[in-house]
Amino acid sequence: MPNTDTKTPLRTGFLRSFIRWLVIGVVLLWSLAALSLVAARWIDPPTTAVHIQRRLQAWIHHTPYRERYKFIPLSQISADLQHAVIAAEDSHFYQHHGFDWHEIQIAAEDDLEGDRTRGASTITQQLVKNLFFGTGRSILRKGAEAALVPVAEFVLGKQRILEIYLNVVEWGPGIYGAESACRYYDQTAARNIGRQQAARLAAILPAPLKRRPERMNNYSAIILRRMGQMGW
């Protein structure tokens, strides 16, 4: 008859060792991501998790892929485009510290009623997701994202967060950042984009692989109205 008394301590020891190394691994990964955010205060990200994800998808499915990505200073992105993106994606961007608890409450209530019509992710949350996690959805990803958002807010500050986000966000198939989007859709530099064009560009951000600026009449009108309400 097998001796279960000796097996139980072995299993317990293995489980403890596994948990210990798992925790160490998670802490190391978090530290690496946090250090990357610190570096991003001065160094423009050469790529992101979303960029890598799209390249891998194109390679796996054997589809053509051309990446357009050019990082430019925030001063070279028109104020109208900055304001349109904030109005569309995160109207309380300058008031919160990474999480918009009011929008989170509204989204939670909508979930309970089965009538979810919008997300509650802030620009800071979206930036962290873009940089480190790609487009996948999971509770684990949300937890890791939540742990890095305060670091991004503290280390980068609002203007740098906005600058990086506007430069790395996906704006279409292989199109990343404001400069590439403006060149592709409007054949002009990001500094030259006006209110109407800016609102249409901001309108495609929730679904950049499916939407086109010229089809965003209704939503762009809503964004323009929000901009006016915010004093822009």
Side-chain angles (χ1 to χ4, degrees):
M1 184 174 180
N3 189 345
T4 55
D5 291 338
T6 58
K7 285 186 177 180
T8 301
L10 283 173
R11 288 174 183 170
T12 304
F14 174 78
L15 184 60
R16 286 177 179 171
S17 178
F18 174 76
I19 292 173
R20 182 170 63 250
W21 284 106
L22 180 63
V23 170
I24 291 172
V26 169
V27 171
L28 286 174
L29 287 173
W30 182 89
S31 301
L32 182 61
L35 286 172
S36 297
L37 287 172
V38 172
R41 182 168 184 172
W42 299 280
I43 302 170
D44 301 333
T47 190
T48 73
V50 173
H51 299 190
I52 295 168
Q53 176 186 336
R54 297 306 186 205
R55 285 190 216 114
L56 284 174
Q57 288 172 339
W59 179 74
I60 290 169
H61 297 291
H62 305 287
T63 54
Y65 179 79
R66 178 190 170 192
E67 184 172 297
R68 298 173 177 87
Y69 174 46
K70 182 179 180 181
F71 201 106
I72 61 174
L74 190 63
S75 60
Q76 292 182 22
I77 301 174
S78 83
D80 285 327
L81 185 52
Q82 296 179 41
H83 297 159
V85 170
I86 292 171
E89 297 287 287
D90 185 3
S91 59
H92 300 116
F93 176 65
Y94 288 112
Q95 283 77 51
H96 63 66
H97 299 288
F99 301 98
D100 190 333
W101 299 110
H102 177 66
E103 288 294 331
I104 290 172
Q105 181 182 357
I106 292 173
E109 290 171 356
D110 288 346
D111 273 341
L112 290 174
E113 296 171 4
D115 189 30
R116 181 74 173 268
T117 58
R118 56 178 167 179
S121 292
T122 63
I123 284 175
T124 311
Q125 288 175 273
Q126 292 181 56
L127 174 61
V128 169
K129 181 185 75 171
N130 269 268
L131 288 175
F132 303 114
F133 303 110
T135 61
R137 294 169 182 253
S138 71
I139 295 175
L140 287 176
R141 193 219 81 194
K142 277 290 185 183
E145 176 189 295
L148 288 168
V149 164
V151 179
E153 284 277 333
F154 178 74
V155 170
L156 299 176
K158 292 295 186 183
Q159 292 304 99
R160 182 60 172 165
I161 288 171
L162 183 61
E163 180 177 62
I164 298 174
Y165 177 74
L166 287 172
N167 273 287
V168 303
V169 69
E170 188 175 38
W171 238 302
I175 303 166
Y176 304 100
E179 182 70 8
S180 297
C182 293
R183 296 282 182 185
Y184 182 80
Y185 292 115
D186 294 295
Q187 293 76 52
T188 190
R191 68 171 73 206
N192 299 326
I193 289 293
R195 286 173 63 82
Q196 296 283 346
Q197 294 167 305
R200 288 177 182 276
L201 286 170
I204 68 174
L205 285 176
L209 301 183
K210 298 178 180 178
R211 297 183 180 183
R212 298 279 298 184
E214 63 271 15
R215 300 174 188 162
M216 293 293 104
N217 294 336
N218 293 336
Y219 189 30
S220 66
I222 293 171
I223 293 171
L224 286 168
R225 187 158 60 248
R226 286 182 194 165
M227 290 169 69
Q229 292 167 351
M230 295 170 74
W232 294 327

